[in-house]
Amino acid sequence: MKEIKNSSDSRPSGILSELRRRRVLPVAGTYIAVAWLATEIAGFILEQAGAPAWSLRLLAIVFMVGFPVSVVLAWVIQVGPDGKRALDSSAGQQKTVVGAILLGIVATVGLAWLILPRINDAPAVPGYDPLPNSVAVLPFLDPDATPREIDIAETLYAALTEGLNASQASQVIQKKTPPDPLVFGRRYNILTLLTGHTLVSGGTTYVEMTLLDVASGEPRWVKRLEWDPTQARKLSTEIANDVLRSLGLATVSEKQFAGTDNQQAYDAFLDGSRIAWKKFDVEGFDTAIARFRKAIELDPDFLAAHVSLANAIHFSLTFSTPKGTRLEQLQTWQKEALENAERIDSNSPAVISLAGRWEITKGNYDIAIQAFKRALDIDPDHLQTLVRYAFALTQSGQDLEYAEELWRRVILQDPNRHAAHEELANTLWALGRKEEARQEMQVCIELEPEFAEAYIYLAFWEIEDGHGGQAMFNMRKAYTLFQHGNTAAFVANIYAQLDAREEALAWLEHAIELNPRSQEVWINAYSVFWFLGEKEKAFAYADRAIELLPRNRNWFSVLLLRDIESGSPDRALQRFEERYPVLTSKKDPIINENTYARIIRYAWLLIKAGKTDQAQRLLQRSLVFTEELCDKNAPGSIDNATYGVCHWNRWRLHALLQQRDETLDGLQKLIVEEKVRWRFDRAYFSSLDFLQDDPDFQRLFQIIMNANRADMERVREMERSGIISPAPGEVTTAL
């Protein structure tokens, strides 16, 4: 009997044979290859055309659904004996073809409906709430870029940051490319990131720009342009308009983007902007000044060039102390730049804000604040005005609560501006919210780890809280990041406060060697010798500092002290009354929150000049006001700034009234309970002469000395263990 073969054993080979006969496998392979190639080509074309991200996804869905349809069609198409293909005319096969096509259409529509609306959905990032119309422009530099590519990248970066800043887009600038741009963008609630790089192909230089959607992580568009340095304005405008279109904002013309029709003027302006921010020092700003003046020479109505010239001169004066002809020249140019900017557009918030900052340099804070208010009336979100207004309030000590609000508005617009976080931290510290201040300063350091100024402030705060060792650690960290005379002088200042004479003098000498013409160095030199109790040398260094910076507000207090120490208290009193004539215009000057600290100093000078009756009357009234102010502002809470000032002034008033028990009680609370020690230098103790032989006072004084010695031992242990470096050199006889 013939053996019957199990049909299940032959099925696989039968299916494969049928697939080969119907040529389904070659069709599937060819389909995959063609779909891949078509996707690559279409992707490049769509990206160059600035098509939205979903268009490429839709194409991928079509090809994905088309694959099973093509396989079904290959199966139902019959191959005849002659090798020709023909659709099976049977009703069943026709229904299969129609069903496959309808299924493909339904599947494509269904997948598109499910996927496309969700392409730009934000990922599950806690706290991510993108700022409307925000774009962070990241530097377009590759680590291995050639000098020419670097020059192109910096020029384009300057053009786009300047141009977008003048447009409706909320512009955020990051000085250094973050390790993970998406993490950076989501952390700081940025909607889009503009990235790019330069490349050379076949002797032609290209720039390739990508606008990255932070929420989806996908590019909104990719654009490659051939770079032509003579067409920088046109190319930059084209890229900026692609950004604006993507954000749903109105596009701009080349003149609106650049601010001028003169290509040569724009090139000079762009070069100045690039140099100013690439080389943030006196040399860089002086070079930029020349470029901006060239741009103005080519186009006298170029508003942005006038504004940038005034800004560059401001920073040049901040970073240096020019004298004579150079100083007069810079001041003249700055004044002309401001006047021309006002002539071109007196209602521009940028120009009004510039005028306000000009008033700050002259010490006219009230006039400056009025200018900033006017600028914000025109544009409530004008970033430069918010920064300068907040700075004016912080520096003048006016309305710190509103200064905090302004700094937060700055950070809302520009979360990555590390200096704004630093200023907010300082404002919070002045408000007595110390933990919030420290947290905000840490944010500043995270944004810019090499920002030495943040560590300097942390050091000052640690000194204020009686932590000399930690203060020295932070100041040494600042010195390693910024080996400048100013930083070395701050180190010397901390050593002097810790009563470490040799180390203080060694660092002071090092500071003078590094920057012999720095005003900060000489100011700190005065402080060092004052803390060390060497008053004659302190005043000698003050004289040198006054020569370098005669208008500094700090010198008024120094002059008063010098008059008193030299035996001329009447001269000090006369100087003070000339400075504040309102104090002598009435028999009893008005005491309020803005005047009572000044009145306490006035009473102190009256005592020194022998006018004790008048001084006693002012002191008693000030004490009553201080008690009322302390009671009104969270009594018992040293974290409240106003109460902290009251608490400090209370013991001083008792001391000036020579009230032993009350003075010692105040000192006990400050020195023992709150560990406030940094302000108790020899100047303050010299006002406590009536307690010099008192054993309770000596006990409190010894607590401070012991704390200083303990802090110094911690510093020396850090030096021995290599955590901080030793002093830079030996003490010289010159000091």
Side-chain angles (χ1 to χ4, degrees):
M1 191 170 92
K2 198 172 182 180
E3 184 179 353
I4 298 176
K5 200 171 190 178
N6 192 317
S7 62
S8 64
D9 294 336
S10 63
R11 187 173 298 150
S13 60
I15 292 175
L16 289 174
S17 297
E18 191 65 15
L19 289 173
R20 282 194 294 268
R21 187 184 73 79
R22 294 173 183 262
R23 299 186 181 179
V24 172
L25 296 179
V27 169
T30 303
Y31 183 92
I32 292 172
V34 171
W36 175 82
L37 182 61
T39 302
E40 290 295 309
I41 295 174
F44 176 78
I45 294 173
L46 290 171
E47 289 171 354
Q48 292 300 308
W54 58 262
S55 57
L56 193 58
R57 290 286 183 89
L58 180 60
L59 184 64
I61 290 172
V62 171
F63 280 127
M64 180 176 65
V65 175
F67 178 72
V69 175
S70 67
V71 170
V72 170
L73 291 175
W75 177 268
V76 300
I77 292 175
Q78 300 293 315
V79 181
D82 56 358
K84 293 183 178 180
R85 294 173 175 270
L87 182 63
D88 191 339
S89 59
S90 65
Q93 295 288 27
Q94 288 179 351
K95 288 180 180 179
T96 302
V97 171
V98 173
I101 294 173
L102 289 175
L103 181 62
I105 294 172
V106 171
T108 300
V109 173
L111 287 172
W113 180 79
L114 288 171
I115 295 175
L116 291 180
R118 293 161 176 78
I119 288 177
N120 290 324
D121 281 357
V125 181
Y128 176 61
D129 183 18
L131 301 169
N133 303 330
S134 56
V135 52
V137 185
L138 302 184
F140 315 134
L141 291 178
D142 295 326
D144 55 351
T146 65
R148 170 173 165 72
E149 290 171 338
I150 291 173
D151 182 69
I152 293 171
E154 289 176 345
T155 300
L156 183 59
Y157 179 78
L160 289 170
T161 52
E162 290 281 353
L164 284 171
N165 193 44
S167 75
Q168 300 177 62
S170 174
Q171 208 254 302
V172 184
I173 301 174
Q174 169 72 4
K175 290 185 179 179
K176 295 184 179 179
T177 304
D180 188 331
L182 283 178
V183 172
F184 157 75
R186 290 167 184 168
R187 178 176 182 181
Y188 296 106
N189 295 322
I190 298 167
L191 185 65
T192 56
L193 297 171
L194 184 61
T195 65
H197 64 276
T198 58
L199 54 98
V200 178
S201 177
T204 303
T205 302
Y206 298 91
V207 291
E208 186 171 276
M209 309 298 301
T210 302
L211 185 67
L212 191 65
D213 187 275
V214 175
S216 66
E218 296 289 335
R220 291 196 176 191
W221 52 257
V222 177
K223 192 176 192 68
R224 179 180 291 187
L225 299 169
E226 182 178 342
W227 178 256
D228 182 351
T230 66
Q231 298 294 315
R233 184 178 62 163
K234 178 181 178 181
L235 297 175
S236 302
T237 306
E238 186 177 338
I239 295 170
N241 279 333
D242 284 337
V243 173
L244 295 174
R245 273 190 290 268
S246 179
L247 296 174
L249 300 173
T251 57
V252 294
S253 67
E254 286 185 32
K255 182 175 182 180
Q256 288 173 317
F257 175 81
T260 179
D261 276 332
N262 190 309
Q263 180 66 48
Q264 290 181 314
Y266 180 67
D267 289 343
F269 167 76
L270 208 56
D271 198 31
S273 300
R274 179 176 65 85
I275 293 171
W277 305 119
K278 176 185 178 183
K279 193 169 183 177
F280 204 83
D281 56 18
V282 176
E283 181 183 350
F285 286 119
D286 284 351
T287 305
I289 287 169
R291 300 292 194 278
F292 293 140
R293 295 192 73 242
K294 178 66 175 177
I296 291 168
E297 179 184 334
L298 293 166
D299 182 356
D301 292 329
F302 192 174
L303 178 61
H306 289 290
V307 172
S308 294
L309 174 60
N311 285 331
I313 293 173
H314 170 79
F315 284 112
S316 181
L317 293 172
T318 301
F319 277 74
S320 65
T321 52
K323 287 188 171 184
T325 304
R326 179 59 177 171
L327 176 61
E328 293 175 3
Q329 186 181 58
L330 288 173
Q331 290 175 336
T332 299
W333 289 345
Q334 189 177 35
K335 184 179 179 182
E336 289 175 351
L338 177 58
E339 290 174 347
N340 282 311
E342 290 176 331
R343 171 184 59 81
I344 296 167
D345 188 355
S346 60
N347 290 318
S348 164
V351 175
I352 299 169
S353 178
L354 194 65
R357 192 182 63 186
W358 172 267
E359 295 297 336
I360 288 178
T361 62
K362 297 187 290 185
N364 300 327
Y365 284 94
D366 291 339
I367 298 175
I369 287 171
Q370 291 304 313
F372 299 142
K373 287 180 179 178
R374 181 182 165 218
L376 291 183
D377 285 341
I378 298 171
D379 182 359
D381 296 321
H382 190 256
L383 191 58
Q384 284 183 327
T385 301
L386 290 172
V387 170
R388 290 167 182 167
Y389 192 178
F391 179 79
L393 292 175
T394 303
Q395 289 296 304
S396 62
Q398 302 181 42
D399 201 350
L400 292 177
E401 288 82 3
Y402 188 52
E404 178 194 355
E405 178 187 329
L406 291 173
W407 285 124
R408 293 196 184 279
R409 285 168 63 184
V410 170
I411 292 169
L412 186 64
Q413 283 195 56
D414 189 350
N416 198 45
R417 184 187 286 256
H418 66 273
H421 290 278
E422 175 219 1
E423 293 291 354
L424 174 58
N426 283 320
T427 304
L428 291 170
W429 187 270
L431 287 168
R433 289 150 59 185
K434 296 185 176 181
E435 280 310 307
E436 290 180 66
R438 286 191 171 94
Q439 291 170 9
E440 200 64 40
M441 197 64 82
Q442 287 303 322
V443 173
C444 170
I445 292 172
E446 288 175 17
L447 289 170
E448 183 53 81
E450 297 184 3
F451 187 49
E453 192 170 338
Y455 291 97
I456 292 173
Y457 279 114
L458 286 174
F460 288 155
W461 295 351
E462 296 296 347
I463 280 286
E464 183 171 342
D465 277 356
H467 305 141
Q470 187 60 37
M472 184 62 75
F473 173 81
N474 283 316
M475 195 62 77
R476 291 290 188 85
K477 175 68 175 178
Y479 177 75
T480 60
L481 295 172
F482 186 52
Q483 295 187 12
H484 190 276
N486 295 356
T487 322
F490 289 138
V491 174
N493 203 319
I494 295 177
Y495 272 122
Q497 292 186 60
L498 296 178
D499 210 30
R501 187 179 190 279
E502 290 188 4
E503 289 89 342
L505 295 184
W507 276 91
L508 181 57
E509 178 194 13
H510 183 56
I512 294 172
E513 288 175 352
L514 287 173
N515 296 90
R517 293 190 57 80
S518 168
Q519 60 199 34
E520 282 290 350
V521 168
W522 295 98
I523 290 171
N524 276 282
Y526 161 77
S527 297
V528 164
F529 284 106
W530 186 262
F531 278 119
L532 293 176
E534 301 179 30
K535 296 178 181 178
E536 290 185 8
K537 284 190 175 181
F539 289 129
Y541 279 98
D543 288 340
R544 176 66 175 135
I546 292 172
E547 288 180 13
L548 292 171
L549 194 66
R551 296 181 182 178
N552 190 296
R553 292 177 299 171
N554 295 325
W555 301 134
F556 181 67
S557 298
V558 172
L559 293 173
L560 296 177
L561 285 171
R562 185 165 60 181
D563 288 339
I564 291 172
E565 293 296 327
S566 64
S568 304
D570 290 333
R571 172 63 184 136
L573 181 62
Q574 180 185 356
R575 194 189 298 273
F576 196 83
E577 289 177 340
E578 289 174 353
R579 180 75 170 264
Y580 304 110
V582 68
L583 296 177
T584 58
S585 61
K586 295 182 179 180
K587 185 176 181 180
D588 291 315
I590 297 172
I591 300 178
N592 54 41
E593 293 184 30
N594 296 323
T595 63
Y596 91 109
R598 187 176 299 158
I599 289 173
I600 293 173
R601 178 181 285 192
Y602 184 43
W604 172 64
L605 291 172
L606 288 169
I607 291 172
K608 292 294 183 181
K611 300 182 179 182
T612 55
D613 291 341
Q614 186 180 353
Q616 290 279 332
R617 186 171 63 252
L618 289 176
L619 291 172
Q620 291 290 355
R621 290 180 59 229
S622 297
L623 185 58
V624 171
F625 179 82
T626 301
E627 296 291 353
E628 292 173 352
L629 197 61
C630 288
D631 291 340
K632 186 173 65 176
N633 291 276
S637 173
I638 197 65
D639 288 334
N640 179 279
T642 305
Y643 182 74
V645 172
C646 294
H647 193 53
W648 178 262
N649 283 325
R650 180 190 280 142
W651 81 266
R652 292 184 63 201
L653 286 165
H654 287 306
L656 291 171
L657 289 166
Q658 296 196 8
Q659 297 171 344
R660 175 192 179 278
D661 293 342
E662 292 85 350
T663 303
L664 290 175
D665 285 345
L667 291 174
Q668 170 79 16
K669 182 174 179 61
L670 287 167
I671 295 171
V672 178
E673 298 176 25
E674 295 162 8
K675 296 182 173 55
V676 176
R677 298 165 187 149
W678 72 284
R679 296 182 180 179
F680 291 97
D681 57 47
R682 288 170 173 79
Y684 280 108
F685 279 124
S686 66
S687 66
L688 300 172
D689 292 340
F690 75 102
L691 292 176
Q692 288 299 322
D693 297 326
D694 191 295
D696 289 333
F697 173 76
Q698 291 297 328
R699 176 180 58 80
L700 293 172
F701 184 81
Q702 194 60 45
I703 290 173
I704 295 177
M705 295 299 100
N706 292 341
N708 287 344
R709 280 193 287 270
D711 280 333
M712 270 308 303
E713 182 53 38
R714 281 191 284 272
V715 170
R716 292 188 175 115
E717 179 57 35
M718 284 190 284
E719 290 178 346
R720 287 191 291 267
S721 61
I723 297 176
I724 59 177
S725 58
E730 299 296 329
V731 181
T732 66
T733 55
L735 295 176

